[in-house]
Amino acid sequence: MTATARPPVRHATPGEWVRKNLFRTPLDTVLTLVLAPLSLYGIFFLARFVFVTGRWEIVRVNLKLLLVGNWPAVHMPRLSVALAVIGFVGGIVAGLVHARQVRLGTASSLTMTRRQRVLDLVRRFGLIFLTVVLLLALTSTAGPTLTAVGVVVAGVLGRLAGGFIGKSRWPKAVVVGLTLRLLATPFLLYAYLTDAVPLERWE
């Protein structure tokens, strides 16, 4: 039995995308003409505040208090480890979900070009990335940057591991064991953190 060839996927040009998503109906056209200038106006003032008029020294001085509260500096590595574990587990879950979608043929990435995949990643994680970069730019030590890099690396490794696990069929006992471990992770992290700093001292 031969596999049925998929018909070639035609991707819309930028002009077609604009007409379809922004000017499809008269109402869409009016909304686009009204909201687009307002959006550009808001982006301009946001950029002006971030790069010109913002009083970032206040944020810089209180950045640690803003991000981690009264968490003792001596136990900061525990927070880094916890964040890395969260990134790894999140990556595993994302990999498992994507592998299942691939098996079912519902993964959107199957019909995407490399450029579209990059744009999709930017759309989903661009704002988070910019926020993290802005916060890291305000720090004066290497710890936060190393933590951020560690979380990203852990997330990528988890994503690869989840994709590998999801592609194969495993005995039911293995699946149940993995599920229980994933569900237990938040409780283990809570115990790991509160062992160093009681909950009432977090604020």
Side-chain angles (χ1 to χ4, degrees):
M1 181 180 295
T2 59
T4 303
R6 292 185 178 181
V9 179
R10 180 183 179 277
H11 300 290
T13 64
E16 291 173 338
W17 185 93
V18 169
R19 285 193 297 272
K20 179 181 178 181
N21 293 277
L22 301 180
F23 299 98
R24 176 182 294 182
T25 65
L27 178 60
D28 291 338
T29 301
V30 172
L31 291 176
T32 299
L33 294 177
V34 171
L35 295 179
L38 292 177
S39 300
L40 293 175
Y41 184 78
I43 292 173
F44 167 76
F45 272 91
L46 177 62
R48 185 169 178 267
F49 172 78
V50 170
F51 297 107
V52 181
T53 62
R55 298 179 60 187
W56 293 106
E57 188 60 31
I58 298 176
V59 179
R60 190 190 304 274
V61 171
N62 297 282
L63 187 60
K64 179 180 178 296
L65 183 64
L66 173 67
L67 295 179
V68 298
N70 292 321
W71 188 269
V74 68
H75 294 303
M76 206 63 70
R78 289 193 178 230
L79 279 181
S80 299
V81 171
L83 290 173
V85 171
I86 292 173
F88 183 72
V89 171
I92 288 180
V93 173
L96 291 173
V97 171
H98 182 260
R100 184 174 186 275
Q101 291 175 340
V102 170
R103 289 200 310 270
L104 298 176
T106 59
S108 58
S109 60
L110 295 175
T111 59
M112 286 184 179
T113 63
R114 181 175 300 179
R115 177 175 176 273
Q116 288 175 323
R117 290 184 182 182
V118 172
L119 292 176
D120 182 60
L121 289 175
V122 171
R123 177 180 59 82
R124 288 189 290 172
F125 302 108
L127 182 59
I128 297 176
F129 175 78
L130 290 177
T131 302
V132 171
V133 169
L134 176 61
L135 291 175
L136 291 179
L138 297 174
T139 61
S140 57
T141 62
T145 301
L146 294 176
T147 298
V149 172
V151 171
V152 172
V153 171
V156 171
L157 293 177
R159 174 67 171 76
L160 295 175
F164 173 76
I165 295 172
K167 289 179 181 178
S168 306
R169 292 187 176 276
W170 301 90
K172 186 176 181 180
V174 175
V175 175
V176 172
L178 176 61
T179 302
L180 291 177
R181 284 174 172 81
L182 292 176
L183 293 176
T185 299
F187 302 99
L188 295 176
L189 288 178
Y190 176 79
Y192 174 68
L193 293 175
T194 55
D195 178 61
V197 182
L199 182 61
E200 59 270 15
R201 291 177 54 194
W202 286 19
E203 299 180 355

